[in-house]
Amino acid sequence: MITSSEFRINNMFFLQLKVIAVDGRLRVIFEDSINFDKDLPEFGTQGGVYMHDDRLSVSSPVLMWIKVRINLLFMLPVLFEYQHGSVYWKEGASSVLQNLSPVLPLHQSLKNCFSLSNSPVWMDSSTAAQCKSLEKKAGGAQKLADITGSRAYERFTGNQIAKIYSRDPEVYSQTEVYYFLKESIREKVWNPLCLDACAPQLGKKLGQPVPSSKILGLISPYYTERFGFNPACKIVAFTGDNPVDWFSLLYCHCTSYNEIKHHLQCTS
């Protein structure tokens, strides 16, 4: 068990998932990676993704993400996220998650828990129509940026959800929970205009945004029994890849916590 360390994981165009562990002085103490195509050939990806016939839609199998996560747990106790990847939990998935058997591998337990088995990723550029529609309903690209911090981009999850709703409403109706969508950068709540522009009753499927520092609860018994995690381990909401990258630069260049805090206050 490695303690008092900070962990950082990068995905390199989805070719591989790489983990680098550094100590409090930013010295590398562990490094390893898993290549999606080579180490998980059963999913048949190329570059970690499926390129669809229209050459615009790009997705990855959700079960591959779960399996690579478990493989990394055998190397190091670490969690990760994918850049602009979205997961679509089917109705009833929450019940399955609450009753996981530590005897079974996680990808086997969750194989029927997703309304969309192949999730769109950041390389997807198939939602141009949804982007135009969202910007129009918001009052233009600049108005949308004022609300969310960005104009509409094809890889963003809100536009992906809008595409799924328009093309396969049954998949949308079967989805219990979605991750992730843009929130209002000022109010820290989902913006009703953006929600309605994407799909009906989307707010109910997303739940309420919470601060990145919020403790959501204790780790699942599945991880304590199968991998030996401490039952007192707390799960924190955390934040996205871009804020973390920005904060890591502050950490490297600032000389004290107070200096970091000052920068954060000036930009909040």
Side-chain angles (χ1 to χ4, degrees), residues 63 66 89 96-97 100 106-114:
L63 289 181
I66 294 174
W89 292 96
V96 175
L97 288 169
L100 292 172
L106 191 60
H107 67 281
Q108 290 186 16
S109 297
L110 300 181
K111 62 182 179 180
N112 296 318
C113 286
F114 304 101

Side-chain angles (χ1 to χ4, degrees), residues 73-106:
L73 282 174
F74 284 109
M75 303 176 185
L76 191 67
V78 61
L79 304 181
F80 64 91
E81 66 178 78
Y82 286 92
Q83 186 180 34
H84 297 296
S86 48
V87 177
Y88 303 79
W89 292 96
K90 186 185 295 184
E91 288 185 354
S94 57
S95 177
V96 175
L97 288 169
Q98 292 171 7
N99 297 280
L100 292 172
S101 169
V103 177
L104 296 176
L106 191 60

Side-chain angles (χ1 to χ4, degrees), residues 145-163:
D146 292 339
I147 297 171
T148 68
S150 175
R151 61 170 299 172
Y153 285 98
E154 293 165 317
R155 66 184 181 273
F156 284 2
T157 312
N159 301 309
Q160 296 291 341
I161 292 174
K163 173 188 170 183

Side-chain angles (χ1 to χ4, degrees), residues 34-206:
I34 293 179
N35 183 289
F36 295 125
D37 300 352
K38 178 181 177 181
D39 298 325
L40 298 170
E42 63 269 29
F43 292 100
T45 58
Q46 293 185 340
V49 300
Y50 299 137
M51 180 68 71
H52 296 250
D53 292 340
D54 62 4
R55 310 303 295 176
L56 297 173
S57 303
V58 186
S59 63
S60 286
V62 179
L63 289 181
M64 181 182 74
W65 296 350
I66 294 174
K67 195 168 185 179
V68 74
R69 172 178 179 169
I70 296 303
N71 287 354
L72 279 177
L73 282 174
F74 284 109
M75 303 176 185
L76 191 67
V78 61
L79 304 181
F80 64 91
E81 66 178 78
Y82 286 92
Q83 186 180 34
H84 297 296
S86 48
V87 177
Y88 303 79
W89 292 96
K90 186 185 295 184
E91 288 185 354
S94 57
S95 177
V96 175
L97 288 169
Q98 292 171 7
N99 297 280
L100 292 172
S101 169
V103 177
L104 296 176
L106 191 60
H107 67 281
Q108 290 186 16
S109 297
L110 300 181
K111 62 182 179 180
N112 296 318
C113 286
F114 304 101
S115 54
L116 199 66
S117 58
N118 297 320
S119 288
V121 297
W122 68 274
M123 299 164 66
D124 188 285
S125 58
S126 65
T127 62
Q130 286 75 25
C131 289
K132 291 180 181 179
S133 176
L134 178 59
E135 290 183 348
K136 182 178 180 180
K137 291 178 180 178
Q142 183 58 55
K143 180 62 176 178
L144 182 62
D146 292 339
I147 297 171
T148 68
S150 175
R151 61 170 299 172
Y153 285 98
E154 293 165 317
R155 66 184 181 273
F156 284 2
T157 312
N159 301 309
Q160 296 291 341
I161 292 174
K163 173 188 170 183
I164 291 170
Y165 171 70
S166 64
R167 296 191 179 184
D168 200 339
E170 185 176 353
V171 168
Y172 178 80
S173 66
Q174 291 176 349
T175 301
E176 182 177 51
V177 179
Y178 276 99
Y179 299 99
F180 309 94
L181 190 72
K182 285 285 184 182
E183 63 184 53
S184 170
I185 59 174
R186 291 186 174 85
E187 288 78 19
K188 302 297 187 294
V189 295
W190 302 124
N191 182 271
L193 185 151
C194 295
L195 291 176
D196 293 341
C198 292
Q201 299 184 330
L202 182 54
K204 293 182 179 180
K205 296 178 182 288
L206 290 171

